[in-house]
Amino acid sequence: MHILIIEDDLDLGQALQQALKADGVSSEWRRRINDAPPVCDAQDYDCVLLDLSLPDGGGLQLLKQWRNAGCTVPIIILTARAGLEDRVNGLDGGADDFIVKPFITAELMSRIRAVRRRYAQQATEVWRIGALQIEPRAHLVQLDGVALDLSPREFQLVLELAREAGAVVPKGALAQRLEPLGDPLDFGAIEVHVSNLRRKIGAQRIRTVRGVGYMLEA
């Protein structure tokens, strides 16, 4: 999982990155609206943590800009404003959730998992795609009730495909998401990992769309 943090407070920003890293989550941190990407793409981020009060403007403005541009990434507002009007404006403006500072890290992580689960159209923390059962937090994949021995990269790959099960995930998107903080993974390496994964979960479960990418059959 890769998360974008937009928060100007130095102590909180650093604490968030440390908490996410401890939970096995990579992140990018920006402190101003002008440092944020003009377009927020689901191929780049699993979730955005967005402060409402930023040095160069309001986070609500950025939220609406992204949503108007078609951004579907789950967005959680972080703010010290506890008023009903602020919560209503944030949620009506396109936020998926709202948490008031100060907050407990465990609650924030739970909210991140919840919005991510809804994005993947899964009802619980155990994802079910046909005969596959995936537990993201436990890094466990089962096929017909039998646990599979997947490498970290294979687990990461099946999780990315499962997030959009039944839809084609472009190779370029996979290349970036499998290495969110470094250079995109080489396409040849992706093909090798897909081949290895097919041997373990069944070749028929991953369909190649030539010239585009791969689809995990729902």
Side-chain angles (χ1 to χ4, degrees), residues 3-200:
I3 288 179
L4 174 63
I5 303 167
I6 304 178
E7 166 62 59
D8 67 310
D9 185 277
L10 281 172
D11 291 337
L12 180 56
Q14 291 171 352
L16 284 172
Q17 285 208 299
Q18 290 171 2
L20 291 169
K21 185 176 182 180
D23 210 56
V25 178
S26 61
S27 63
E28 297 175 32
W29 177 23
R30 304 286 183 266
R31 298 185 62 202
R32 302 186 309 157
I33 289 177
N34 288 338
D35 296 330
V39 177
C40 187
D41 199 305
Q43 295 181 7
D44 300 321
Y45 306 106
D46 292 281
C47 182
V48 176
L49 305 180
L50 175 63
D51 187 12
L52 283 186
S53 301
L54 296 163
D56 55 344
L60 187 59
Q61 166 194 342
L62 181 61
L63 171 64
K64 290 179 177 178
Q65 173 188 320
W66 281 344
R67 292 308 193 211
N68 289 337
C71 168
T72 60
V73 178
I75 297 175
I76 299 176
I77 288 177
L78 311 178
T79 183
R81 304 176 191 173
L84 175 62
E85 184 178 357
D86 292 313
R87 296 199 301 273
V88 169
N89 288 339
L91 294 169
D92 284 349
D96 295 272
D97 204 351
F98 194 109
I99 189 166
V100 177
K101 304 173 187 176
F103 50 80
I104 303 300
T105 303
E107 180 184 359
L108 175 62
M109 295 306 300
S110 180
R111 290 176 181 269
I112 290 172
R113 290 191 295 271
V115 297
R116 182 185 183 218
R117 186 168 64 242
R118 289 197 295 270
Y119 180 84
Q121 299 183 345
Q122 296 293 329
T124 70
E125 274 297 291
V126 178
W127 298 10
R128 290 179 173 83
I129 298 96
L132 283 176
Q133 180 172 300
I134 304 172
E135 298 180 46
R137 293 191 70 192
H139 282 240
L140 175 66
V141 178
Q142 296 183 60
L143 176 62
D144 291 323
V146 178
L148 301 178
D149 182 17
L150 302 184
S151 70
R153 183 68 82 190
E154 290 163 358
F155 177 82
Q156 194 180 10
L157 176 59
V158 75
L159 194 61
E160 291 302 332
L161 293 174
R163 287 175 68 243
E164 301 182 59
V168 180
V169 182
K171 268 189 181 180
L174 282 175
Q176 187 62 61
R177 292 186 65 82
L178 292 174
E179 285 292 347
L181 297 178
D183 294 330
L185 201 64
D186 179 79
F187 281 7
I190 291 177
E191 291 170 3
V192 170
H193 292 307
V194 168
S195 177
N196 291 337
L197 183 59
R198 276 179 168 142
R199 284 200 294 271
K200 296 179 180 181

